[in-house]
Amino acid sequence: MHILVGVTGGIAAYKAAGVIRGFTELGHTVKVLPTQNALRFIGATTLEALSHNVVDSDLYTDVDSVKHIALAQEADLIVVAPATAAFIARYANGVADDLLLNVLLATKAKVVVAPAMHTEMWQHPATVANIETLKSRGVKIIEPATGRLTGDDSGPGRLPEPDEIVASALSSVHAQDLSGKTVTIAAGGTREPIDTVRFIGNRSSGKQGIALADAALARGAKVNLIAINIDIDLSRFANVTRVSATAELSTVLDQMLPVSDVIYMPAAVSDYRVANIEPGKLSRHDASELELKLIANPDLLSGLSEKRNALGLKAILVGFAAEVLSSSGNADELKSKANAKLHKKNVELIVANDVSNGAVFDQDSNQVLVVSSSSSIEIQGSKLEVANQIIDETIKLIG
Ligand code: CTP
């Protein structure tokens, strides 16, 4: 999506940095429109570096390109964070006296405003009336949080945390087609301990799973995220369970099965674990060889399918298969391997990708084949775009 982030001149302007980063990390194209006063609080250099786009707050440059109209038309979503009382008053009264307000008056995109000011200003009848006016015109207002304000005072008026603003803004443009559904996602890669300091692991970054969690959240789902050795910030998710080894993952999945409408398994699960985990630290003892005995882990996805069917539960199960093919790009081979896994694991969807050239790990984009018993479709794009299309396919199965 093309997202415009408006920044107005309040002390919370520094938090706009987190909002911009939140959107870009999800793969969105971001342009920032600071007011002149916002630039007293946060520098254009910071905004440019984080948005990867030139920042221009002046209505009277590049006039020949009629940029306020171009910006207004290309935006899919406009988020103003923080929004001061003065900005809200001007916007509510249609006063287009800077680039941001000109764009806002010219756009048909969804607009989300996150006010931040002292409690007295937030509760002033003028601000209350202006907010009501904006709401009545379809602007989404993200209510300020209660907490410490600029001085010693505290109360309602604080700008919510950037992650909350990002999630709330995105949910306003997505259909809430997962509203009332519980989605469990196991993301990352398991680690099987060898001793207390070493493990056998894998290269899964967890990014596709996190993108699924972001997409499901934006579409109204209750998201249970099982984070398997993931280092990235997950504070935007309310329900995160952290696990490391396959046995821990298995326990949490069993707990989630009865309460889930969908379980996504992009997790890279170790097929084997070390038979005798050394208590303490294995010592070299100058040995020239060391043999580790490995024993098979259960196939968790197949196990979930069996339990679901035995207990008459409803969860749709979605497996992920990273396949090394006889020749990279062999679409028929990928499809037949995905179909074989669909039946072997007795699940509703398999999302398969070709990792023959090792390119997919830790990347921000992905190319996959989504196979069900009746269809197979190819998807490529950012991991968030891929996530949304996987969810589209899942929703067809939920009905
Ligand atoms: N999976 C699982 N339990 C395991 C191994 C894998 O639940 N012990 C899940 C993965 O999370 C993934 C799907 O099964 O969603 C497919 O994983 P993959 O490693 O491709 O499947 P395997 O059954 O291990 O097949 P292969 O023989 O190709 O390794």
Side-chain angles (χ1 to χ4, degrees):
M1 268 196 303
H2 284 267
I3 302 178
L4 288 181
V5 176
V7 186
T8 70
I11 192 76
Y14 74 94
K15 283 191 181 171
V19 175
I20 297 160
R21 167 162 277 165
F23 287 132
T24 54
E25 280 185 350
L26 289 174
H28 299 292
T29 303
V30 177
K31 280 189 188 159
V32 187
L33 293 180
T35 61
Q36 291 295 334
N37 283 340
L39 295 174
R40 295 169 184 245
F41 292 90
I42 185 164
T45 317
T46 303
L47 302 174
E48 288 188 352
L50 290 172
S51 65
H52 313 298
N53 264 313
V54 172
V55 165
D56 179 3
S57 64
D58 192 344
L59 184 57
Y60 298 105
T61 55
D62 300 328
V63 179
D64 58 327
S65 67
V66 200
K67 68 182 171 191
H68 62 295
I69 300 298
L71 287 165
Q73 287 175 348
E74 78 180 15
D76 300 305
L77 169 68
I78 303 182
V79 182
V80 185
T84 60
F87 161 81
I88 289 166
R90 293 207 304 284
Y91 185 27
N93 288 285
V95 180
D97 59 355
D98 63 11
L99 181 58
L100 175 58
L101 281 157
N102 272 272
V103 170
L104 284 168
L105 258 58
T107 195
K108 292 201 163 37
K110 180 74 190 171
V111 178
V112 177
V113 168
M117 64 197 76
H118 281 274
T119 306
E120 294 80 357
M121 298 170 77
W122 174 242
Q123 292 175 344
H124 191 282
T127 309
V128 171
N130 290 330
I131 290 289
E132 284 312 312
T133 301
L134 293 180
K135 280 185 184 170
S136 72
R137 292 179 188 151
V139 173
K140 176 172 179 173
I141 305 292
I142 301 179
E143 293 288 313
T146 299
R148 181 86 190 267
L149 301 168
T150 321
D152 291 337
D153 52 341
S154 71
R158 251 176 91 85
L159 189 71
E161 291 312 307
D163 286 338
E164 286 172 46
I165 294 173
V166 168
S168 175
L170 291 177
S171 70
S172 69
V173 279
H174 284 295
Q176 297 298 287
D177 46 8
L178 284 177
S179 169
K181 304 288 181 206
T182 299
V183 171
T184 295
I185 298 154
T190 57
R191 290 177 182 174
E192 301 301 333
I194 297 170
D195 60 18
T196 48
V197 293
R198 303 180 180 95
F199 57 82
I200 298 173
N202 60 71
R203 292 175 57 196
S204 173
S205 65
K207 281 186 176 173
Q208 185 61 71
I210 302 299
L212 273 163
D214 278 313
L217 200 63
R219 292 169 75 155
K222 174 178 185 239
V223 172
N224 295 319
L225 179 59
I226 308 175
I228 315 162
N229 304 303
I230 289 182
D231 287 337
I232 43 187
D233 178 21
L234 300 174
S235 54
R236 61 188 176 282
F237 301 108
N239 307 303
V240 180
T241 311
R242 290 188 182 272
V243 299
S244 185
T246 303
E248 297 164 50
L249 172 61
S250 176
T251 305
V252 178
L253 281 169
D254 284 349
Q255 289 162 0
M256 297 297 176
L257 180 65
V259 297
S260 300
D261 295 286
V262 185
I263 298 182
Y264 291 105
M265 278 286 285
V269 183
S270 176
D271 283 322
Y272 292 87
R273 66 183 183 277
V274 178
N276 301 309
I277 302 168
E278 178 79 11
K281 187 181 162 206
L282 262 178
S283 180
R284 183 181 163 103
H285 291 309
D286 284 335
S288 60
E289 281 183 7
L290 172 71
E291 276 188 19
L292 286 177
K293 184 176 174 197
L294 302 179
I295 46 175
N297 275 329
D299 182 331
L300 304 187
L301 194 54
S302 299
L304 286 174
S305 170
E306 278 165 30
K307 284 172 211 161
R308 172 193 62 182
N309 297 344
L311 299 172
L313 299 168
K314 61 188 171 182
I316 303 268
L317 299 174
V318 182
F320 288 68
E323 300 292 355
V324 176
L325 307 177
S326 57
S327 62
S328 176
N330 186 334
D332 290 341
E333 190 183 355
L334 185 64
K335 191 172 169 184
S336 91
K337 285 196 163 185
N339 265 313
K341 260 177 202 170
L342 189 77
H343 292 112
K344 182 176 146 208
K345 292 179 188 260
N346 198 14
V347 295
E348 282 63 47
L349 284 179
I350 286 285
V351 180
N353 57 356
D354 173 5
V355 292
S356 309
N357 56 14
V360 74
F361 296 107
D362 211 23
Q363 301 294 308
D364 290 322
S365 61
N366 205 356
Q367 179 172 2
V368 301
L369 185 73
V370 182
V371 175
S372 73
S373 61
S374 59
S375 69
S376 88
I377 64 157
E378 256 183 61
I379 306 173
Q380 58 176 315
S382 73
K383 287 193 172 172
L384 190 64
E385 287 162 349
V386 168
N388 270 306
Q389 291 196 52
I390 293 170
I391 291 176
D392 290 344
E393 293 308 302
T394 317
I395 286 175
K396 287 180 196 163
L397 298 171
I398 298 175

